[in-house]
Amino acid sequence: MLQMSRSSTRATLMRGRHRKLVSTWSPLATAFNAPPSKRINFTREDVGLFRMPELRTFEGFYLLRDNVENKSQDLIAEAISSQRQRKMVDIFDELSDSLCKVADLAEFIRIAHPKNKYMEAAEQACISICGVVESLNTHKPLYQALRKVVEQGDLKPTTEVDQHVARLFLFDFEQCGIHLPEAERLRVVRLNDYILQLGQKFMNGAAQPSVLPRSYVPESIRNYFPTSGENVIITGLCTNAENVQMREAAYRLYLQPSETQEELLRDLLLCRHELAKSCGFETYAHRALNASTMERPELVHEFIDQLSDQLRPRAEADFALMTQMKRKESGQPNVLAEIWDTPYFTTQLKRQSLEEQANEFLPYFSLGGCMEGLDNLLQALYGVRLENSEMEPGESWHSDIYKLAVVHESEGLLGYIYCDFFERSGKPNQDCHFTIQGGKRLPDGTYQLPIVVVMLGLAQPRWAGPTLLSPARVDNLFHEMGHAMHSMLARTEYQHVTGTRCATDFAEVPSVLMEYFASDPRVLRTFARHFQTHKPISEDMLQRLCASKHLFAASETQLQVFYSALDQEYHGDMAQKGGNTTETLKTVQNRYYGLPHVENTAWQLRFSHLVGYGAKYYAYLISKTIASWIWQTYFESNPFNRQSGERYRAEILAHGGAVPSRQLVANFLQREMTPSVLANSLIHEIDTDETKIKELIVSRS
């Protein structure tokens, strides 16, 4: 039933190719280029985590839990009452909002807070809320009340958005089989539990190193790997190793087949298939794509096939160049580029053709400079600025957190972004975005402001200098801030569909689009300057940097097509047949990828995305394609276009998931979103970037 989620003048000035460069940092950049100030509290009372008075101590989680359990019962009673005075969807969204405010907060604190007592209390709150949700998922009077409204209409006047959100709640409800006869419902519950267990075991196995006798590894490279007694330990793929034997050995040995993993994966796929059939779907892929942008697997297959056919000759050209480079490096005229070579030669091409030196870009991308760049861009596109805000005592979970107020030039405060940017002991090593409180329209007409956290794993700033970001880190920063701004700029009636709470294959569009801005020379010129001298990055460096992000784009995209096709195949009819997953892999790889399968390897048994993104791995590829289409249509000619930014906010970001994403895209781009249109858009981008790279390389030779 519930899914817990996680000024016109200035704009005119910013349209020019050469923008005014200042010699001093803005207050925002200065703040982020220094360690967060340590707040010593002598007099003021703690306000509690995220300014929640209940969380002045860890025990507040128990109070929050009890309060939400009691409120849930009141809302259930209201929903099933014959005297109901509100729209059903209003009651359900308040129920969802109440649970998510505790569950999302607790889930974040569970993994991010450095103190065990807070972590433990948060974990207990998570468990309790899960129990509440499980009980709701078996509450038949509540389900029947919602179903009646969806099928027959509400007693109160409703809008298309109300009806869409109500259908989403009903779909969530039915994922637990509440609409089925009791015996079948219990079977669905058992299948869900078993799927969870199988997924956890598979992911654990996928992360384990390969431990092999020393004799399995060629003596010439044996010392490159750690050992334990007479065994060699292979902990991962050595994709950027200069020694080709080491790259090959790591690939073959780390990806050896495992009977245990094979059995876990087959069982997982079969259980998902049975679950989907029980809930009335043809395959698990049909179930997973319900209410998505692509809507059904047949459209995903058509998109993948059309994109694959156009990619093939372009990817073959990439692999031919890699083979040429390998032959030149090795002195062997007959060797071919293999699947373990592709990351290595991508790096080599950057160094050879673009003369990229290790860490040469770092001094030009201080954290503060990047935040200033983001601030400039957001002001240009949306009239929004980022203001570094002082926190009250007890508001944050660690002393190195920044708090940003997101302020619109006419609308005022839009929400808050807490920036947990720096690595520390016990903190997850991942870049991600957490919703702490979703935005929604309140009964009195005011708006519940969104609160999010952006988590990165950057090095701590030193007093001698700020944190410096590699180009990849700059991309990640813009990506995660794209998620955050999706939440900030959404203005939905319901928190259940606010910001990133939309279809999986659309949720990445705003964040991927931000990467296009981070890769555009006109945007980078506004903030890429040396952290000590303030000297702007040279035009040569800028062009090389932007070109380096698109090397071998065709073969890399082909790899993503292959992964997506395999995921769809596993979650289609193949699951029911129960065949060997490696044999399926070979067939799909031969169809969709330009390099052959390596015998006696089974990389799919380490492909943990099959657990979290089952039948949805294509989502990143389709999000990338839609983002590319939006960029080409609205921002490629001028990345600071205020009119385009305002339209993008009004027609895409503001709606979150309140309008079906397929409809949003078609309306915004004024064209039906067919597989061929999508494929052609991405191919056009790849060809354009390839032409720019060739022109740059020729100009440098």
Side-chain angles (χ1 to χ4, degrees):
M1 191 274 301
L2 298 171
Q3 290 180 326
M4 294 183 297
S5 327
R6 313 217 213 270
S7 76
S8 62
T9 301
R10 182 171 180 82
T12 302
L13 291 173
M14 297 182 82
R15 293 192 183 107
R17 179 175 182 274
H18 297 287
R19 300 166 57 77
K20 183 178 179 181
L21 294 168
V22 294
S23 59
T24 56
W25 297 117
S26 66
L28 181 69
T30 300
F32 277 83
N33 271 347
S37 56
K38 301 291 189 295
R39 293 171 290 277
I40 302 175
N41 181 29
F42 292 109
T43 58
R44 290 185 292 175
E45 183 180 5
D46 281 3
V47 298
L49 288 172
F50 296 103
R51 300 182 62 86
M52 297 183 66
E54 298 91 341
L55 294 181
R56 293 189 178 110
T57 72
F58 69 91
E59 294 168 322
F61 275 110
Y62 305 124
L63 178 60
L64 290 175
R65 177 199 64 193
D66 293 344
N67 287 345
V68 75
E69 288 178 354
N70 291 333
K71 186 172 184 178
S72 296
Q73 294 304 313
D74 292 340
L75 290 168
I76 292 170
E78 181 183 1
I80 63 177
S81 171
S82 59
Q83 305 300 316
R84 173 168 58 88
Q85 298 298 310
R86 292 193 292 167
K87 291 184 289 188
M88 184 66 76
V89 70
D90 285 341
I91 301 171
F92 265 75
D93 192 68
E94 185 176 351
L95 180 57
S96 174
D97 186 42
S98 301
L99 292 166
C100 287
K101 279 181 181 176
V102 179
D104 293 343
L105 168 66
E107 177 61 21
F108 172 72
I109 294 299
R110 183 184 70 81
I111 66 171
H113 205 288
K115 294 183 179 179
N116 286 334
K117 287 187 176 180
Y118 272 94
M119 293 171 64
E120 292 167 1
E123 184 168 15
Q124 287 300 313
C126 286
I127 294 171
S128 296
I129 298 303
C130 283
V132 174
V133 172
E134 287 178 7
S135 68
L136 291 174
N137 287 338
T138 61
H139 199 297
K140 288 202 171 182
L142 184 63
Y143 165 71
Q144 289 163 352
L146 176 63
R147 182 175 177 178
K148 182 179 180 180
V149 165
V150 169
E151 294 180 348
Q152 302 178 21
D154 204 334
L155 298 174
K156 306 296 179 182
T158 58
T159 65
E160 287 187 13
V161 169
D162 297 335
Q163 295 158 21
H164 172 65
V165 176
R167 288 193 296 270
L168 292 177
F169 277 122
L170 186 67
F171 177 70
D172 292 345
F173 230 141
E174 293 181 347
Q175 295 317 291
C176 294
I178 193 170
H179 59 303
L180 301 172
E182 185 63 12
E184 191 67 16
R185 185 192 71 80
L186 291 174
R187 182 171 180 268
V188 167
V189 171
R190 289 194 297 270
L191 282 169
N192 274 316
D193 289 342
Y194 196 35
I195 287 168
L196 180 61
Q197 295 173 32
L198 288 168
Q200 291 172 339
K201 290 178 180 178
F202 181 82
M203 290 185 68
N204 182 61
Q208 296 303 308
S210 292
V211 181
L212 304 158
R214 291 169 61 89
S215 59
Y216 278 51
V217 183
E219 189 174 353
S220 60
I221 60 171
R222 202 173 289 162
N223 291 334
Y224 288 120
F225 301 101
T227 60
S228 177
E230 291 301 311
N231 294 324
V232 174
I233 303 172
I234 315 293
T235 58
L237 302 175
C238 303
T239 52
N240 283 309
E242 292 187 6
N243 188 305
V244 65
Q245 279 189 298
M246 185 177 177
R247 295 198 301 269
E248 179 178 357
Y251 187 93
R252 291 184 180 276
L253 298 176
Y254 187 64
L255 299 180
Q256 282 192 336
S258 160
E259 290 185 11
T260 300
Q261 285 292 97
E262 172 68 24
E263 184 177 351
L264 286 170
L265 181 55
R266 278 205 312 267
D267 287 351
L268 176 64
L269 298 176
L270 180 58
C271 286
R272 282 177 168 172
H273 183 78
E274 291 298 316
L275 175 66
K277 297 290 283 188
S278 294
C279 292
F281 293 95
E282 184 178 340
T283 68
Y284 186 81
H286 286 85
R287 176 183 183 270
L289 268 67
N290 189 70
S292 68
T293 307
M294 294 303 283
E295 296 182 342
R296 59 187 192 276
E298 293 79 8
L299 284 178
V300 175
H301 281 290
E302 187 177 345
F303 165 67
I304 287 174
D305 287 345
Q306 294 205 22
L307 185 56
S308 177
D309 290 343
Q310 296 190 68
L311 280 171
R312 189 170 293 109
R314 294 165 172 83
E316 286 173 355
D318 285 355
F319 295 133
L321 178 55
M322 292 182 200
T323 291
Q324 181 182 339
M325 294 173 69
K326 187 174 182 179
R327 289 174 176 175
K328 182 178 180 180
E329 180 178 281
S330 66
Q332 301 178 41
N334 297 319
V335 296
L336 298 173
E338 303 285 357
I339 199 166
W340 50 78
D341 292 321
T342 54
Y344 172 75
F345 285 111
T346 302
T347 302
Q348 290 303 103
L349 187 62
K350 290 180 182 180
R351 292 175 179 173
Q352 295 172 12
S353 299
L354 301 177
E355 300 179 11
E356 181 178 316
Q357 304 299 317
N359 300 328
E360 68 169 318
F361 300 114
L362 278 177
Y364 295 90
F365 294 107
S366 66
L367 176 57
C370 294
M371 295 304 296
E372 184 176 291
L374 274 164
D375 186 44
N376 290 338
L377 180 64
L378 296 174
Q379 288 191 51
L381 293 175
Y382 312 117
V384 166
R385 67 184 188 275
L386 305 175
E387 295 184 356
N388 185 48
S389 302
E390 182 181 355
M391 278 186 279
E392 295 292 323
E395 185 176 352
S396 71
W397 53 100
H398 198 270
S399 60
D400 63 4
I401 313 300
Y402 300 94
K403 179 184 178 182
L404 293 175
V406 181
V407 182
H408 189 272
E409 59 190 23
S410 60
E411 298 172 33
L413 181 64
L414 297 181
Y416 293 105
I417 304 171
Y418 289 82
C419 302
D420 189 347
F421 282 176
F422 305 116
E423 59 187 4
R424 62 177 178 270
S425 178
K427 176 183 172 181
N429 183 27
Q430 59 185 12
D431 295 347
C432 49
H433 156 271
F434 296 86
T435 298
I436 303 300
Q437 175 173 281
K440 65 170 293 182
R441 188 70 56 192
L442 297 173
D444 63 2
T446 60
Y447 200 77
Q448 176 173 288
L449 297 180
I451 300 172
V452 305
V453 176
V454 172
M455 180 182 284
L456 303 177
L458 305 177
Q460 286 276 355
R462 308 299 179 192
W463 290 112
T467 295
L468 303 177
L469 279 64
S470 67
R473 286 290 197 181
V474 176
D475 289 345
N476 289 353
L477 172 63
F478 272 64
H479 181 101
E480 298 304 335
M481 287 297 289
H483 282 310
M485 292 310 299
H486 195 181
S487 295
M488 295 297 111
L489 295 171
R491 280 300 178 265
T492 56
E493 291 294 313
Y494 303 112
Q495 67 80 37
H496 190 66
V497 291
T498 192
T500 55
R501 292 173 178 169
C502 55
T504 303
D505 58 359
F506 187 73
E508 294 293 326
V509 170
S511 54
V512 174
L513 181 62
M514 283 298 288
E515 293 183 44
Y516 282 85
F517 289 99
S519 302
D520 189 281
R522 295 163 294 184
V523 175
L524 294 177
R525 284 191 195 102
T526 67
F527 68 92
R529 46 199 169 103
H530 200 283
F531 76 99
Q532 293 174 318
T533 66
H534 294 258
K535 182 180 179 180
I537 191 170
S538 71
E539 195 65 21
D540 174 70
M541 290 179 69
L542 191 60
Q543 296 300 330
R544 288 190 289 112
L545 167 59
C546 293
S548 70
K549 297 183 179 184
H550 307 295
L551 293 173
F552 296 136
S555 55
E556 175 58 32
T557 304
Q558 189 186 57
L559 184 63
Q560 294 303 312
V561 167
F562 164 40
Y563 291 168
S564 301
L566 182 66
D567 179 44
Q568 287 296 304
E569 188 70 20
Y570 280 160
H571 291 94
D573 293 331
M574 175 265 170
Q576 187 175 18
K577 298 172 184 175
N580 181 273
T581 64
T582 302
E583 292 304 313
T584 302
L585 167 69
K586 291 178 183 179
T587 302
V588 176
Q589 185 163 348
N590 183 59
R591 166 70 177 85
Y592 291 100
Y593 195 51
L595 295 178
H597 174 260
V598 179
E599 288 301 320
N600 202 36
T601 65
W603 70 259
Q604 81 280 7
L605 302 182
R606 292 191 179 277
F607 193 37
S608 58
H609 285 299
L610 289 172
V611 175
Y613 290 88
K616 293 182 180 181
Y617 188 84
Y618 79 93
Y620 179 80
L621 186 62
I622 203 69
S623 291
K624 162 79 173 174
T625 304
I626 295 172
S628 173
W629 191 7
I630 292 173
W631 172 261
Q632 293 173 43
T633 305
Y634 284 98
F635 299 108
E636 189 171 39
S637 61
N638 179 6
F640 307 107
N641 189 306
R642 179 65 175 268
Q643 184 177 0
S644 293
E646 293 286 8
R647 183 171 180 180
Y648 173 58
R649 181 193 178 190
E651 297 185 23
I652 295 287
L653 299 178
H655 297 285
V659 177
S661 51
R662 188 177 189 85
Q663 178 182 332
L664 282 181
V665 174
N667 290 346
F668 183 55
L669 294 167
Q670 299 179 326
R671 191 173 182 184
E672 186 181 354
M673 202 182 77
T674 65
S676 60
V677 167
L678 290 169
N680 291 339
S681 175
L682 195 53
I683 291 296
H684 173 75
E685 178 193 318
I686 291 172
D687 288 347
T688 301
D689 290 337
E690 180 68 16
T691 300
K692 290 178 182 177
I693 292 170
K694 288 179 178 178
E695 290 174 351
L696 180 60
I697 292 175
V698 168
S699 70
R700 299 181 59 80
S701 61

